[in-house]
Amino acid sequence: MKKLPLIFSFLVLVGLVAQQAYAQGAEGAAAAGLNTVAIKYIAYFFALGIAVFGGTQAQSKAASVALEGIARNPAAADKIQTPMILGLALMESLVIFALISTFLV
């Protein structure tokens, strides 16, 4: 988990360097076989991967903490379970929104 900011900063750096590399003009990009639409789709799918990764990390952490709370106090299971399910549904809706926006744009 401590390496996540390092990985994210590396991806941002690679994205900035790639942007400068493709700034050569339409002739160079066409010769390379890449156009702006292809680059846009590649970026969208990377964004979808990041959204899915973040969503799964948040869901696993929320479920883990809720189950720990239920294990410590079984009488509070009803008070913990309902907000946990609501939070999981909201996290999943953000991932689904990222998926739909990827295919719509």
Side-chain angles (χ1 to χ4, degrees):
M1 199 66 186
K2 292 182 180 180
K3 292 184 180 182
L4 188 61
L6 179 66
I7 293 170
F8 181 74
S9 61
F10 175 74
L11 290 175
V12 169
L13 178 68
V14 168
L16 292 174
V17 171
Q19 185 180 24
Q20 294 296 323
Y22 289 118
Q24 58 192 348
E27 298 84 19
L34 294 173
N35 56 12
T36 57
V37 175
I39 294 171
K40 182 172 72 169
Y41 283 133
I42 291 170
Y44 285 146
F45 285 115
F46 275 120
L48 178 64
I50 292 170
V52 168
F53 178 75
T56 56
Q57 291 295 317
Q59 286 180 343
S60 64
K61 181 69 174 175
S64 172
V65 169
L67 289 175
E68 283 181 17
I70 291 171
R72 290 179 187 209
N73 188 5
D78 293 337
K79 293 181 181 179
I80 294 173
Q81 187 175 9
T82 304
M84 181 198 67
I85 291 174
L86 179 64
L88 291 176
L90 291 173
M91 287 178 231
E92 187 65 29
S93 69
L94 287 174
V95 174
I96 292 171
F97 177 71
L99 175 68
I100 291 171
S101 66
T102 299
F103 286 116
L104 288 179
V105 175

